[in-house]
Amino acid sequence: MEGEVSVAVPRNVSPELAEEGLAREIVHRLQTMRKTAGFEIADYIVTYYQGDDYVKQVMTNYADYVKLETLSRSLIEGKPEEGVATETFKLNDHAVVLE
């Protein structure tokens, strides 16, 4: 028919795009945690994280992005001292702990 347009969208996501998506979701979760914890918009934080090798790879590859978007002075793999707000998420079949 006249005026019809077809659009094809690939179903496969490149590894780079999947990593970027996970990094963006981590930023979103950290921003929500910041808000819940009562941080001001300009407050800097230190972010601790735990996850599998894939999560570690994403946090390494997108460290600058995550730090910039969340005002994290540093991203540290491991557990913080007691009493720090912690949340666990299942993101793209990967368990992620953010503190």
Side-chain angles (χ1 to χ4, degrees):
M1 292 185 124
E2 187 175 323
E4 285 189 22
V5 176
S6 296
V7 176
V9 178
R11 292 182 183 213
N12 297 332
V13 175
S14 71
E16 295 82 12
L17 191 56
E19 281 188 13
E20 182 181 345
L22 182 59
R24 288 177 180 271
E25 186 60 29
I26 288 170
V27 165
H28 171 73
R29 300 299 173 109
L30 285 169
Q31 295 292 40
T32 301
M33 289 174 69
R34 283 174 54 92
K35 183 177 180 182
T36 301
F39 284 101
E40 296 294 324
I41 195 165
D43 289 342
Y44 280 84
I45 62 172
V46 173
T47 298
Y48 288 82
Y49 70 93
Q50 299 171 57
D52 60 20
D53 289 340
Y54 183 73
V55 171
K56 293 174 192 174
Q57 175 181 321
V58 169
M59 293 299 279
T60 298
N61 292 346
Y62 288 87
D64 290 339
Y65 167 74
V66 173
K67 288 194 290 189
L68 178 68
E69 293 296 317
T70 62
L71 294 182
S72 293
R73 291 194 189 280
S74 57
L75 304 175
I76 301 171
E77 180 191 352
K79 294 183 180 184
E81 58 191 57
E82 293 292 319
V84 174
T86 302
E87 292 195 32
T88 302
F89 306 98
K90 187 80 166 185
L91 304 174
N92 299 342
D93 295 326
H94 298 277
V96 180
V97 180
L98 300 173
E99 291 123 340

XYZ file of all heavy atoms in Angstrom:
784
model
N 0.833 -1.190 0.000
C 0.000 0.000 0.000
C 0.870 1.242 0.000
O 1.951 1.262 0.567
C -0.893 0.038 1.237
C -1.964 -0.996 1.290
S -2.974 -0.692 2.748
C -4.537 -0.545 1.974
N 0.338 2.254 -0.563
C 1.058 3.519 -0.638
C 1.151 4.150 0.755
O 0.200 4.156 1.516
C 0.317 4.471 -1.578
C 1.078 5.727 -1.850
C 0.367 6.606 -2.878
O -0.218 6.080 -3.828
O 0.420 7.818 -2.667
N 2.343 4.661 1.090
C 2.555 5.345 2.357
C 2.926 4.433 3.513
O 3.147 4.904 4.607
N 2.994 3.127 3.294
C 3.388 2.219 4.367
C 4.901 2.199 4.506
O 5.625 2.314 3.528
C 2.899 0.798 4.081
C 1.429 0.636 4.302
C 1.012 -0.831 4.220
O 1.867 -1.718 4.413
O -0.170 -1.073 3.957
N 5.343 2.058 5.720
C 6.769 2.003 6.011
C 7.029 0.775 6.878
O 6.298 0.517 7.824
C 7.235 3.276 6.759
C 8.687 3.173 7.150
C 6.975 4.511 5.915
N 8.048 0.037 6.543
C 8.446 -1.110 7.356
C 9.738 -0.773 8.080
O 10.620 -0.128 7.529
C 8.675 -2.345 6.474
O 7.473 -2.734 5.861
N 9.828 -1.230 9.318
C 11.020 -0.993 10.115
C 11.471 -2.338 10.675
O 10.668 -3.100 11.205
C 10.724 -0.014 11.269
C 11.940 0.163 12.151
C 10.234 1.316 10.725
N 12.758 -2.607 10.551
C 13.324 -3.831 11.115
C 14.208 -3.456 12.298
O 15.023 -2.546 12.213
C 14.142 -4.564 10.064
N 14.018 -4.163 13.398
C 14.811 -3.915 14.595
C 15.527 -5.220 14.947
O 14.884 -6.248 15.129
C 13.920 -3.468 15.779
C 14.749 -3.266 17.032
C 13.152 -2.213 15.417
N 16.856 -5.163 15.031
C 17.570 -6.393 15.378
C 17.250 -6.824 16.818
O 17.088 -5.986 17.704
C 19.050 -6.012 15.244
C 19.083 -4.535 15.288
C 17.743 -4.039 14.850
N 17.145 -8.114 17.016
C 16.826 -8.647 18.341
C 18.076 -8.832 19.187
O 17.996 -8.890 20.399
C 16.107 -9.971 18.218
C 14.736 -9.842 17.642
C 14.085 -11.194 17.609
N 12.778 -11.080 16.986
C 11.749 -11.819 17.316
N 11.885 -12.730 18.255
N 10.608 -11.668 16.710
N 19.209 -8.959 18.563
C 20.450 -9.187 19.284
C 21.040 -7.864 19.749
O 21.049 -6.885 19.011
C 21.466 -9.910 18.412
C 20.985 -11.300 18.016
O 20.214 -11.911 18.746
N 21.430 -11.779 16.883
N 21.518 -7.863 20.967
C 22.156 -6.684 21.535
C 23.656 -6.966 21.600
O 24.073 -8.021 22.072
C 21.603 -6.391 22.944
C 22.343 -5.251 23.604
C 20.110 -6.121 22.884
N 24.446 -6.018 21.142
C 25.900 -6.205 21.172
C 26.383 -6.246 22.618
O 25.743 -5.676 23.512
C 26.606 -5.065 20.431
O 26.509 -3.870 21.181
N 27.508 -6.909 22.868
C 28.050 -6.931 24.237
C 28.296 -5.527 24.794
O 28.056 -5.274 25.974
C 29.364 -7.701 24.088
C 29.180 -8.545 22.868
C 28.299 -7.732 21.963
N 28.753 -4.626 23.951
C 29.018 -3.259 24.395
C 27.731 -2.565 24.827
O 27.695 -1.860 25.836
C 29.708 -2.451 23.293
C 31.083 -2.943 22.924
C 31.072 -4.119 21.938
O 30.001 -4.439 21.346
O 32.125 -4.745 21.769
N 26.673 -2.764 24.046
C 25.394 -2.140 24.376
C 24.807 -2.748 25.648
O 24.233 -2.036 26.477
C 24.414 -2.287 23.209
C 23.135 -1.471 23.288
C 23.430 0.012 23.448
C 22.294 -1.710 22.044
N 24.984 -4.044 25.844
C 24.506 -4.699 27.067
C 25.248 -4.157 28.287
O 24.633 -3.888 29.330
C 24.686 -6.209 26.953
N 26.560 -3.973 28.167
C 27.344 -3.403 29.274
C 26.876 -1.991 29.588
O 26.720 -1.629 30.749
C 28.834 -3.389 28.929
C 29.523 -4.704 29.083
C 31.032 -4.593 28.919
O 31.575 -3.466 28.936
O 31.675 -5.643 28.774
N 26.692 -1.189 28.549
C 26.239 0.189 28.756
C 24.878 0.214 29.441
O 24.629 1.025 30.335
C 26.175 0.932 27.430
C 25.750 2.377 27.582
C 25.671 3.129 26.262
O 26.207 2.651 25.244
O 25.061 4.212 26.269
N 24.003 -0.693 29.036
C 22.680 -0.769 29.659
C 22.761 -1.107 31.134
O 22.054 -0.520 31.954
N 23.645 -2.036 31.484
C 23.815 -2.396 32.890
C 24.400 -1.223 33.675
O 23.953 -0.922 34.787
C 24.694 -3.637 33.040
C 24.885 -4.131 34.477
C 23.550 -4.478 35.132
C 25.815 -5.327 34.509
N 25.362 -0.531 33.095
C 25.949 0.639 33.753
C 24.886 1.703 33.999
O 24.822 2.295 35.086
C 27.094 1.208 32.908
N 24.036 1.936 33.034
C 22.970 2.931 33.193
C 21.983 2.515 34.284
O 21.512 3.349 35.060
C 22.238 3.158 31.877
C 23.057 3.912 30.862
C 22.297 4.053 29.539
N 23.079 4.761 28.569
C 23.084 6.075 28.425
N 22.329 6.826 29.204
N 23.829 6.649 27.507
N 21.682 1.229 34.354
C 20.767 0.745 35.384
C 21.408 0.869 36.765
O 20.739 1.231 37.737
C 20.366 -0.703 35.102
C 19.305 -1.231 36.032
C 17.990 -0.454 35.996
O 17.638 0.125 34.947
O 17.315 -0.411 37.040
N 22.695 0.603 36.876
C 23.406 0.772 38.149
C 23.368 2.240 38.578
O 23.118 2.551 39.737
C 24.846 0.228 38.045
C 24.808 -1.306 37.994
C 25.716 0.730 39.197
C 26.124 -1.964 37.648
N 23.598 3.147 37.645
C 23.519 4.585 37.946
C 22.127 4.933 38.450
O 21.975 5.638 39.457
C 23.899 5.429 36.707
C 23.467 6.877 36.872
C 25.387 5.344 36.439
N 21.108 4.431 37.786
C 19.733 4.706 38.203
C 19.495 4.230 39.632
O 18.924 4.953 40.461
C 18.753 4.031 37.239
C 17.337 4.063 37.700
N 16.573 5.210 37.681
C 16.543 3.100 38.222
C 15.368 4.941 38.159
N 15.337 3.671 38.499
N 19.953 3.022 39.938
C 19.762 2.472 41.288
C 20.532 3.289 42.327
O 20.033 3.550 43.418
C 20.199 1.008 41.340
C 19.450 0.082 40.395
C 17.954 0.030 40.676
N 17.246 -0.722 39.676
C 16.697 -1.912 39.876
N 16.767 -2.492 41.058
N 16.059 -2.510 38.895
N 21.755 3.684 41.998
C 22.537 4.504 42.931
C 21.883 5.858 43.160
O 21.864 6.368 44.295
C 23.965 4.686 42.418
C 24.885 3.477 42.565
C 26.174 3.691 41.780
C 25.196 3.229 44.041
N 21.329 6.457 42.119
C 20.655 7.752 42.274
C 19.445 7.622 43.197
O 19.196 8.494 44.028
C 20.221 8.309 40.906
C 21.360 8.651 39.981
C 22.182 9.835 40.455
O 22.457 9.999 41.633
N 22.622 10.647 39.510
N 18.714 6.527 43.046
C 17.563 6.287 43.921
C 18.018 6.083 45.355
O 17.401 6.610 46.300
C 16.770 5.063 43.423
O 16.326 5.311 42.078
C 15.564 4.784 44.315
N 19.107 5.347 45.548
C 19.646 5.141 46.897
C 20.100 6.458 47.511
O 19.874 6.694 48.706
C 20.816 4.150 46.848
C 20.396 2.720 46.558
S 21.802 1.605 46.335
C 22.461 1.547 48.013
N 20.730 7.322 46.711
C 21.164 8.637 47.202
C 19.967 9.435 47.711
O 20.001 10.034 48.780
C 21.861 9.433 46.091
C 23.265 9.031 45.763
C 23.777 9.812 44.546
N 23.638 11.246 44.724
C 24.588 12.045 45.227
N 25.746 11.535 45.569
N 24.386 13.325 45.361
N 18.916 9.435 46.915
C 17.717 10.197 47.264
C 17.080 9.645 48.545
O 16.736 10.407 49.455
C 16.715 10.135 46.115
C 15.478 10.947 46.347
C 14.567 10.908 45.144
C 13.320 11.726 45.404
N 12.398 11.675 44.269
N 16.959 8.331 48.631
C 16.374 7.690 49.802
C 17.193 7.970 51.061
O 16.644 8.168 52.147
C 16.263 6.168 49.580
O 15.447 5.935 48.427
C 15.655 5.465 50.771
N 18.510 8.018 50.908
C 19.398 8.265 52.049
C 19.439 9.736 52.452
O 20.043 10.080 53.467
C 20.810 7.773 51.724
N 18.833 10.605 51.656
C 18.754 12.017 52.013
C 19.943 12.863 51.598
O 20.130 13.960 52.116
N 20.744 12.370 50.663
C 21.873 13.173 50.195
C 21.376 14.364 49.385
O 20.363 14.289 48.691
C 22.810 12.335 49.301
C 23.676 11.388 50.071
C 23.349 10.052 50.152
C 24.823 11.832 50.723
C 24.136 9.160 50.858
C 25.617 10.956 51.443
C 25.273 9.614 51.506
N 22.102 15.466 49.489
C 21.824 16.634 48.663
C 22.341 16.364 47.256
O 23.234 15.536 47.058
C 22.505 17.880 49.247
C 21.982 18.278 50.602
C 20.539 18.733 50.572
O 20.133 19.371 49.584
O 19.817 18.434 51.537
N 21.846 17.102 46.293
C 22.197 16.873 44.900
C 23.696 17.043 44.629
O 24.249 16.385 43.759
C 21.366 17.773 43.958
C 21.462 17.275 42.533
C 21.775 19.222 44.088
C 20.415 17.845 41.608
N 24.377 17.882 45.405
C 25.807 18.142 45.180
C 26.726 17.348 46.108
O 27.940 17.498 46.038
C 26.091 19.634 45.329
N 26.159 16.486 46.972
C 26.970 15.702 47.897
C 27.731 14.603 47.162
O 27.160 13.887 46.335
C 26.101 15.044 48.976
C 25.554 16.037 49.979
O 26.086 17.160 50.059
O 24.587 15.677 50.684
N 28.999 14.479 47.493
C 29.809 13.387 46.941
C 29.702 12.171 47.843
O 29.515 12.308 49.060
C 31.274 13.818 46.794
C 31.506 14.655 45.564
C 31.270 16.028 45.582
C 31.924 14.068 44.382
C 31.461 16.793 44.449
C 32.123 14.824 43.237
C 31.886 16.180 43.284
O 32.068 16.932 42.146
N 29.820 10.994 47.245
C 29.719 9.749 47.988
C 30.874 8.823 47.609
O 31.607 9.095 46.655
C 28.377 9.029 47.712
C 28.263 8.646 46.221
C 27.199 9.875 48.158
C 27.071 7.765 45.885
N 31.019 7.754 48.352
C 31.914 6.654 48.004
C 31.003 5.459 47.758
O 30.140 5.154 48.584
C 32.920 6.342 49.124
C 33.722 5.093 48.790
C 33.842 7.539 49.340
N 31.160 4.814 46.631
C 30.300 3.694 46.261
C 31.059 2.381 46.377
O 32.141 2.238 45.814
C 29.784 3.866 44.813
O 29.006 5.059 44.740
C 28.946 2.678 44.382
N 30.468 1.461 47.111
C 30.979 0.097 47.205
C 30.060 -0.786 46.375
O 28.845 -0.548 46.322
C 30.962 -0.387 48.649
C 32.006 0.270 49.519
C 31.785 1.525 50.071
C 33.206 -0.367 49.775
C 32.735 2.136 50.868
C 34.174 0.233 50.572
C 33.924 1.484 51.112
O 34.877 2.086 51.895
N 30.620 -1.796 45.759
C 29.800 -2.710 44.971
C 30.328 -4.125 45.090
O 31.506 -4.353 45.375
C 29.736 -2.277 43.504
C 31.044 -2.447 42.765
C 31.312 -3.613 42.058
C 32.016 -1.452 42.791
C 32.528 -3.782 41.392
C 33.218 -1.615 42.134
C 33.463 -2.775 41.435
O 34.659 -2.944 40.789
N 29.440 -5.078 44.863
C 29.792 -6.489 44.805
C 29.016 -7.108 43.660
O 27.874 -6.729 43.402
C 29.415 -7.192 46.106
C 30.123 -6.655 47.333
C 29.541 -7.250 48.589
O 29.519 -8.452 48.748
N 29.057 -6.391 49.471
N 29.635 -8.040 42.987
C 28.966 -8.727 41.896
C 29.895 -9.743 41.264
O 31.055 -9.882 41.669
N 29.381 -10.421 40.259
C 30.187 -11.417 39.569
C 31.204 -10.746 38.639
O 31.313 -9.515 38.606
C 29.295 -12.408 38.808
C 28.417 -11.745 37.746
O 28.727 -10.609 37.309
O 27.429 -12.368 37.338
N 31.946 -11.548 37.913
C 32.988 -11.011 37.025
C 32.425 -10.050 35.983
O 33.071 -9.066 35.633
C 33.749 -12.147 36.326
C 34.654 -12.909 37.278
O 34.996 -12.362 38.347
O 35.023 -14.049 36.945
N 31.231 -10.310 35.507
C 30.618 -9.420 34.513
C 30.333 -8.050 35.122
O 30.615 -7.016 34.510
C 29.338 -10.048 33.951
C 28.694 -9.218 32.873
C 29.262 -9.130 31.600
C 27.524 -8.511 33.124
C 28.673 -8.367 30.613
C 26.935 -7.747 32.135
C 27.500 -7.674 30.881
O 26.929 -6.911 29.894
N 29.795 -8.039 36.325
C 29.507 -6.773 37.008
C 30.809 -6.012 37.246
O 30.881 -4.797 37.025
C 28.751 -7.018 38.330
C 28.645 -5.742 39.153
C 27.373 -7.602 38.054
N 31.844 -6.712 37.669
C 33.150 -6.078 37.878
C 33.674 -5.473 36.583
O 34.227 -4.365 36.574
C 34.148 -7.092 38.425
C 33.824 -7.564 39.819
C 34.762 -8.681 40.238
C 34.260 -9.353 41.497
N 35.072 -10.523 41.849
N 33.499 -6.187 35.478
C 33.936 -5.689 34.170
C 33.186 -4.417 33.793
O 33.783 -3.435 33.345
C 33.700 -6.765 33.109
C 34.009 -6.341 31.693
C 33.715 -7.461 30.701
O 33.966 -8.626 30.981
N 33.173 -7.096 29.550
N 31.878 -4.415 33.997
C 31.075 -3.228 33.684
C 31.492 -2.054 34.561
O 31.657 -0.930 34.078
C 29.567 -3.532 33.838
C 28.733 -2.258 33.780
C 29.110 -4.523 32.769
N 31.690 -2.298 35.847
C 32.084 -1.219 36.748
C 33.463 -0.677 36.395
O 33.716 0.518 36.556
C 32.038 -1.687 38.202
C 30.629 -1.982 38.704
S 29.520 -0.555 38.659
C 30.016 0.275 40.158
N 34.333 -1.517 35.892
C 35.658 -1.071 35.450
C 35.550 -0.280 34.148
O 36.080 0.825 34.026
C 36.602 -2.272 35.264
O 36.752 -2.925 36.524
C 37.958 -1.830 34.759
N 34.837 -0.839 33.185
C 34.728 -0.195 31.867
C 33.948 1.115 31.902
O 34.196 2.005 31.097
C 34.072 -1.144 30.857
C 34.944 -2.324 30.514
O 36.139 -2.348 30.814
N 34.355 -3.334 29.890
N 33.009 1.230 32.822
C 32.159 2.424 32.889
C 32.374 3.212 34.179
O 31.510 3.978 34.600
C 30.680 2.025 32.721
C 30.376 1.624 31.300
C 30.564 0.324 30.869
C 29.956 2.571 30.375
C 30.335 -0.038 29.558
C 29.710 2.214 29.065
C 29.903 0.914 28.664
O 29.679 0.559 27.352
N 33.532 3.053 34.788
C 33.824 3.715 36.066
C 33.676 5.230 35.966
O 33.048 5.857 36.833
C 35.215 3.343 36.560
N 34.241 5.828 34.941
C 34.162 7.290 34.810
C 32.712 7.751 34.685
O 32.314 8.741 35.304
C 34.968 7.772 33.601
C 36.462 7.626 33.804
O 36.914 7.529 34.970
O 37.188 7.606 32.788
N 31.927 7.043 33.913
C 30.516 7.381 33.727
C 29.751 7.255 35.046
O 29.015 8.169 35.434
C 29.899 6.475 32.651
C 28.397 6.528 32.598
C 27.742 7.640 32.067
C 27.620 5.480 33.083
C 26.363 7.700 32.024
C 26.246 5.534 33.037
C 25.618 6.639 32.513
O 24.249 6.697 32.479
N 29.927 6.135 35.732
C 29.216 5.912 36.991
C 29.609 6.963 38.020
O 28.756 7.545 38.699
C 29.472 4.485 37.531
C 28.873 4.309 38.924
C 28.909 3.433 36.574
N 30.897 7.248 38.138
C 31.353 8.253 39.102
C 30.799 9.634 38.767
O 30.351 10.351 39.662
C 32.883 8.288 39.158
C 33.470 7.064 39.847
C 34.922 7.212 40.214
C 35.827 7.224 39.030
N 37.258 7.151 39.387
N 30.828 9.999 37.519
C 30.336 11.317 37.114
C 28.843 11.463 37.393
O 28.403 12.465 37.964
C 30.618 11.543 35.618
C 30.118 12.858 35.041
C 30.914 14.022 35.622
C 30.231 12.843 33.529
N 28.072 10.475 37.013
C 26.615 10.564 37.140
C 26.127 10.471 38.580
O 25.057 10.982 38.896
C 25.948 9.475 36.301
C 26.124 9.655 34.806
C 25.457 10.911 34.280
O 24.308 11.203 34.688
O 26.071 11.597 33.445
N 26.888 9.807 39.444
C 26.443 9.607 40.823
C 27.235 10.427 41.839
O 26.999 10.314 43.039
C 26.551 8.114 41.212
O 27.921 7.705 41.149
C 25.693 7.249 40.309
N 28.179 11.234 41.352
C 29.076 12.007 42.211
C 29.818 11.107 43.196
O 29.981 11.432 44.370
C 28.330 13.114 42.956
C 27.742 14.235 42.095
C 27.079 15.285 42.977
C 28.788 14.873 41.211
N 30.251 9.958 42.700
C 31.038 9.032 43.516
C 32.506 9.418 43.417
O 33.054 9.499 42.322
C 30.861 7.593 43.037
O 29.548 7.144 43.252
N 33.123 9.660 44.548
C 34.557 9.961 44.551
C 35.354 8.732 44.131
O 36.391 8.845 43.508
C 35.005 10.420 45.927
C 34.453 11.774 46.301
C 35.178 12.339 47.510
N 34.525 13.533 47.998
C 34.661 14.738 47.468
N 35.410 14.907 46.408
N 34.036 15.783 47.984
N 34.860 7.560 44.501
C 35.530 6.323 44.103
C 34.521 5.181 44.082
O 33.462 5.250 44.713
C 36.686 5.995 45.054
O 36.223 5.907 46.378
N 34.867 4.158 43.315
C 34.091 2.920 43.240
C 34.981 1.827 43.810
O 36.065 1.576 43.280
C 33.721 2.586 41.800
C 32.957 3.644 41.016
C 32.763 3.206 39.574
C 31.617 3.940 41.673
N 34.523 1.202 44.863
C 35.345 0.217 45.553
C 34.643 -1.127 45.530
O 33.489 -1.247 45.982
C 35.604 0.655 47.011
C 36.302 2.012 47.023
C 36.400 -0.407 47.761
C 36.415 2.649 48.386
N 35.347 -2.137 45.025
C 34.800 -3.480 45.039
C 34.958 -4.042 46.442
O 36.050 -4.016 47.014
C 35.536 -4.363 44.040
C 35.007 -5.771 44.016
C 35.868 -6.721 43.235
O 36.825 -6.291 42.574
O 35.589 -7.927 43.323
N 33.867 -4.516 47.026
C 33.929 -5.094 48.363
C 32.880 -4.505 49.281
O 32.017 -3.748 48.862
N 32.982 -4.867 50.548
C 32.011 -4.438 51.551
C 32.538 -3.234 52.323
O 33.700 -3.193 52.679
C 31.748 -5.568 52.543
C 31.060 -6.763 51.944
C 30.787 -7.799 53.009
C 30.086 -8.995 52.395
N 29.722 -9.973 53.423
N 31.653 -2.287 52.623
C 32.051 -1.144 53.450
C 31.952 -1.510 54.926
O 31.571 -2.628 55.273
C 31.018 -0.087 53.086
C 29.786 -0.900 52.830
C 30.282 -2.169 52.159
N 32.229 -0.552 55.764
C 32.086 -0.764 57.200
C 30.614 -0.937 57.549
O 29.726 -0.625 56.741
C 32.688 0.406 57.966
C 32.062 1.748 57.595
C 32.830 2.921 58.144
O 34.024 3.043 57.853
O 32.209 3.705 58.887
N 30.346 -1.416 58.741
C 28.978 -1.649 59.212
C 28.155 -0.362 59.214
O 28.685 0.726 59.395
C 29.010 -2.231 60.629
C 29.601 -3.612 60.709
C 28.751 -4.667 60.041
O 27.513 -4.619 60.184
O 29.321 -5.537 59.353
N 26.861 -0.513 59.023
C 25.943 0.610 59.134
C 25.707 1.390 57.849
O 25.004 2.383 57.853
N 26.290 0.957 56.739
C 26.119 1.648 55.469
C 24.882 1.089 54.763
O 24.645 -0.124 54.780
C 27.376 1.463 54.583
C 27.178 2.052 53.208
C 28.578 2.088 55.266
N 24.102 1.959 54.146
C 22.911 1.524 53.417
C 23.321 0.584 52.289
O 24.217 0.890 51.508
C 22.176 2.731 52.854
N 22.655 -0.568 52.225
C 22.970 -1.582 51.239
C 21.700 -2.040 50.548
O 20.674 -2.213 51.198
C 23.634 -2.807 51.923
O 24.802 -2.389 52.592
C 23.986 -3.874 50.921
N 21.785 -2.224 49.243
C 20.666 -2.787 48.500
C 21.204 -3.820 47.520
O 22.280 -3.639 46.951
C 19.893 -1.698 47.763
C 19.170 -0.762 48.714
C 18.118 0.093 48.041
O 17.504 -0.378 47.060
O 17.937 1.220 48.493
N 20.435 -4.891 47.354
C 20.799 -5.950 46.424
C 19.776 -5.969 45.296
O 18.577 -5.896 45.541
C 20.815 -7.317 47.141
O 21.743 -7.247 48.225
C 21.236 -8.427 46.204
N 20.275 -6.058 44.069
C 19.418 -6.061 42.892
C 19.768 -7.236 41.996
O 20.901 -7.702 41.989
C 19.618 -4.784 42.069
C 19.455 -3.528 42.859
C 20.555 -2.863 43.365
C 18.199 -3.014 43.098
C 20.414 -1.696 44.093
C 18.038 -1.848 43.828
C 19.148 -1.187 44.321
N 18.815 -7.678 41.223
C 19.053 -8.659 40.168
C 18.883 -7.882 38.863
O 17.786 -7.457 38.516
C 18.029 -9.791 40.272
C 18.275 -10.928 39.349
C 19.347 -11.829 39.899
C 19.353 -13.131 39.135
N 20.274 -14.081 39.681
N 20.006 -7.632 38.181
C 19.989 -6.849 36.951
C 20.512 -7.701 35.808
O 21.656 -8.152 35.838
C 20.856 -5.592 37.103
C 20.514 -4.663 38.265
C 21.539 -3.542 38.366
C 19.126 -4.093 38.093
N 19.687 -7.943 34.813
C 20.079 -8.758 33.657
C 20.668 -10.093 34.097
O 21.705 -10.525 33.611
C 21.075 -8.021 32.769
C 20.521 -6.750 32.197
O 19.312 -6.542 32.177
N 21.385 -5.877 31.751
N 20.015 -10.741 35.049
C 20.450 -12.043 35.581
C 21.756 -11.982 36.356
O 22.401 -13.008 36.562
C 20.547 -13.093 34.470
C 19.198 -13.399 33.848
O 18.184 -13.367 34.589
O 19.140 -13.681 32.640
N 22.197 -10.808 36.782
C 23.409 -10.650 37.567
C 23.019 -10.017 38.905
O 22.364 -8.983 38.932
C 24.438 -9.757 36.856
C 24.881 -10.313 35.564
N 25.869 -11.262 35.449
C 24.459 -10.071 34.298
C 26.038 -11.563 34.185
N 25.207 -10.860 33.463
N 23.457 -10.645 39.997
C 23.218 -10.074 41.318
C 24.214 -8.939 41.536
O 25.404 -9.092 41.293
C 23.393 -11.132 42.396
N 23.717 -7.788 41.950
C 24.542 -6.619 42.204
C 24.202 -6.093 43.593
O 23.043 -5.883 43.909
C 24.279 -5.509 41.154
C 25.141 -4.295 41.433
C 24.484 -6.021 39.746
N 25.230 -5.908 44.414
C 25.054 -5.303 45.731
C 25.692 -3.921 45.674
O 26.846 -3.782 45.299
C 25.720 -6.148 46.838
C 25.525 -5.490 48.199
C 25.171 -7.570 46.851
N 24.917 -2.910 46.025
C 25.406 -1.529 46.025
C 25.312 -0.981 47.439
O 24.318 -1.171 48.122
C 24.572 -0.660 45.078
C 24.572 -1.087 43.618
C 23.569 -0.252 42.836
C 25.949 -0.960 43.012
N 26.386 -0.304 47.868
C 26.415 0.284 49.201
C 26.911 1.702 49.110
O 27.720 2.045 48.306
C 27.359 -0.530 50.108
C 26.801 -1.891 50.397
C 27.728 -3.033 49.981
O 28.613 -2.900 49.170
O 27.498 -4.100 50.543
